[in-house]
Amino acid sequence: MGSLMVKITNLLGVISCGVIFGSASAQQLEIPLLDSNQPYEYILVTKGLDIPWGMAWLDDSSILISDRKGELRIIRNGMLLNEKVSGLPEFMVQGQGGLLDVAVDPNYKQNKLIYFSYSGLEGEGEGAHTSVMRAKLQSFELSEQSVIFEGGPNTTKGQHYGSRLTFDKQGYLYISSGDRGNRDVNPQRLDRDAGKIHRINSDGSIPKDNPFIGQKDANPSIYSYGHRNPQGMAMHPETGDIWTHEHGPKGGDEINIIQPSANYGWPVISYGVNYSGSSFTELTEKEGMQQPAWYWVPSIAPSGMTFVTSDIYPNWKGKVIVGSLKFAYLVALELDGDKVVSQEILFPGIGRVRNVKQGADGYIYVATDGAGIFKIVPSQ
């Protein structure tokens, strides 16, 4: 494939990290210490990226990569091309902000449209918020740029942009927006874009059946609310449901299955506490608020999410793979319908996982902060 093909020592296994997890039943159990000999290893595809936030496939051999520092790059046949994509908008590179996720249109082969999120300056007020632009990608140039979503109000705070992008089977675009560091106001207010999952048409218009259309003091793009900082989002390949995960504070990272108009509770209910260890809520459940499909205590700092459908990985097929920034490993979640029933920790030491995706070629790719892009392959 033209990659560097550097083999990394395979530390694959199921381990106990003192992590507590739970399902929607709110039962918490310690992870058992088990042995596992998965026949996979990971190889380095390329270095040369700082924080590779988004990955999207232009074709079977070309990956579009967004680097948070403000670069849009292309990996082709396993090589990071020197030329950078031009035509990006102005945005704020501060804290967790910068150039964030990237997605390609479901009809990309015909229309050449791509979508990317960033800490945009378009919203009202000083600072930035999550914005989404659509543009045509021709060679290394963007043209016909159009801002199709601008979150608001802006803030000078540098955290919690959320900012994953996912299309569903009907072609609607879902956008995750973090609470922007204002948990006590933004997530539960429907007149604010922060702390929400939004659903729009690919041109930025609002689907006619969005749940809050016509409701006074509610932004019509909102699909669900009560979120903290969702940095993982993927469509279930069979049901078509949108699944997300989000960062909790100290503990309480969640996986959620997104339903229209549903309230996911932040910060009224949570399995986490303040970073200082003090409590901000005594509630882990409340009527009218959704329980997570899964949660982690302490936090694993999840980032990136993919459903495994490829025959390359018979051991993982049907599972969800999630990355961990904090513990530098992958987590494979076993499903029973729409329920998460167990987890397995994979490749400890792979690096701070920023994103994980199954590519157009069927292989799973892992983007890590600073260390590079890795590809998971069957062991030789």
Side-chain angles (χ1 to χ4, degrees):
M1 184 176 167
S3 69
L4 299 179
M5 297 295 286
V6 178
K7 290 189 178 181
I8 311 296
T9 302
N10 185 359
L11 300 175
L12 180 61
V14 179
I15 64 175
S16 174
C17 293
V19 179
I20 298 173
F21 63 88
S23 66
S25 64
Q27 297 297 312
Q28 297 186 347
L29 301 169
E30 291 189 4
I31 300 174
L33 181 63
L34 302 173
D35 292 325
S36 178
N37 293 306
Q38 298 283 3
Y40 308 116
E41 59 190 6
Y42 54 95
I43 59 174
L44 181 64
V45 176
T46 185
K47 292 186 176 181
L49 297 159
D50 183 21
I51 299 180
W53 228 93
M55 294 188 288
W57 273 256
L58 303 174
D59 54 46
D60 287 353
S61 61
S62 300
I63 312 172
L64 187 64
I65 304 284
S66 58
D67 194 320
R68 197 175 71 184
K69 66 185 177 184
E71 295 178 356
L72 197 56
R73 307 290 297 274
I74 294 175
I75 296 173
R76 183 168 294 151
N77 295 320
M79 301 296 294
L80 180 65
L81 304 184
N82 290 327
E83 191 168 358
K84 301 167 187 176
V85 175
S86 64
L88 292 171
E90 183 180 359
F91 47 85
M92 182 178 292
V93 181
Q94 172 189 334
Q96 297 171 5
L99 183 60
L100 300 171
D101 210 10
V102 63
V104 300
D105 193 272
N107 297 312
Y108 173 78
K109 288 183 179 180
Q110 290 73 40
N111 60 29
K112 302 300 179 184
L113 290 174
I114 68 166
Y115 305 77
F116 51 91
S117 56
Y118 55 99
S119 49
L121 310 174
E122 293 89 357
E124 294 183 2
E126 184 180 356
H129 210 294
T130 304
S131 295
V132 178
M133 176 172 280
R134 182 177 80 166
K136 278 193 174 182
L137 176 62
Q138 297 172 313
S139 185
F140 291 89
E141 296 183 3
L142 297 178
S143 63
E144 301 181 31
Q145 295 96 325
S146 175
V147 177
I148 60 172
F149 177 82
E150 51 186 62
N154 283 352
T155 174
T156 57
K157 292 186 176 182
Q159 70 266 39
H160 298 186
Y161 286 92
S163 207
R164 289 297 178 190
L165 304 175
T166 298
F167 280 96
D168 69 6
K169 290 183 177 181
Q170 289 72 44
Y172 296 122
L173 177 61
Y174 292 77
I175 305 160
S176 75
S177 177
D179 68 9
R180 295 296 281 113
N182 190 347
R183 73 182 184 196
D184 295 325
V185 176
N186 286 336
Q188 292 295 319
R189 282 182 53 170
L190 294 176
D191 62 340
R192 295 193 170 214
D193 291 318
K196 312 296 191 301
I197 302 298
H198 299 266
R199 185 179 76 152
I200 62 175
N201 293 314
S202 62
D203 63 357
S205 61
I206 305 300
K208 295 180 180 179
D209 60 346
N210 265 17
F212 296 108
I213 284 183
Q215 181 171 324
K216 185 180 179 181
D217 297 327
N219 295 348
S221 63
I222 294 173
Y223 198 72
S224 66
Y225 64 109
H227 300 281
R228 185 174 184 269
N229 190 24
Q231 289 192 353
M233 183 161 58
M235 183 193 71
H236 192 292
E238 295 179 1
T239 67
D241 292 335
I242 300 297
W243 288 48
T244 68
H245 64 60
E246 60 187 86
H247 293 269
K250 188 176 182 180
D253 298 340
E254 297 181 358
I255 287 183
N256 290 301
I257 305 172
I258 301 304
Q259 301 175 28
S261 78
N263 182 352
Y264 289 84
W266 177 254
V268 180
I269 62 174
S270 177
Y271 288 96
V273 296
N274 289 315
Y275 291 117
S276 65
S278 63
S279 176
F280 60 88
T281 179
E282 299 298 326
L283 302 177
T284 56
E285 57 184 287
K286 185 177 181 180
E287 185 176 357
M289 295 183 176
Q290 300 294 312
Q291 280 289 291
W294 192 258
Y295 64 93
W296 288 273
V297 177
S299 297
I300 67 167
S303 191
M305 184 179 196
T306 197
F307 285 88
V308 182
T309 61
S310 174
D311 291 333
I312 296 171
Y313 311 100
N315 302 50
W316 300 342
K317 194 169 183 179
K319 295 184 178 182
V320 179
I321 306 291
V322 172
S324 168
L325 287 162
K326 181 178 180 180
F327 292 117
Y329 55 50
L330 299 177
V331 179
L333 299 166
E334 185 173 357
L335 306 182
D336 181 6
D338 62 356
K339 298 185 183 303
V340 181
V341 295
S342 66
Q343 74 170 9
E344 182 179 10
I345 295 173
L346 313 174
F347 302 117
I350 193 172
R352 278 174 54 85
V353 179
R354 183 63 59 176
N355 203 353
V356 54
K357 275 196 170 183
Q358 181 178 294
D361 57 2
Y363 286 94
I364 293 173
Y365 290 77
V366 183
T368 62
D369 288 358
I373 308 291
F374 297 95
K375 175 178 161 183
I376 299 177
V377 299
S379 298
Q380 299 298 318

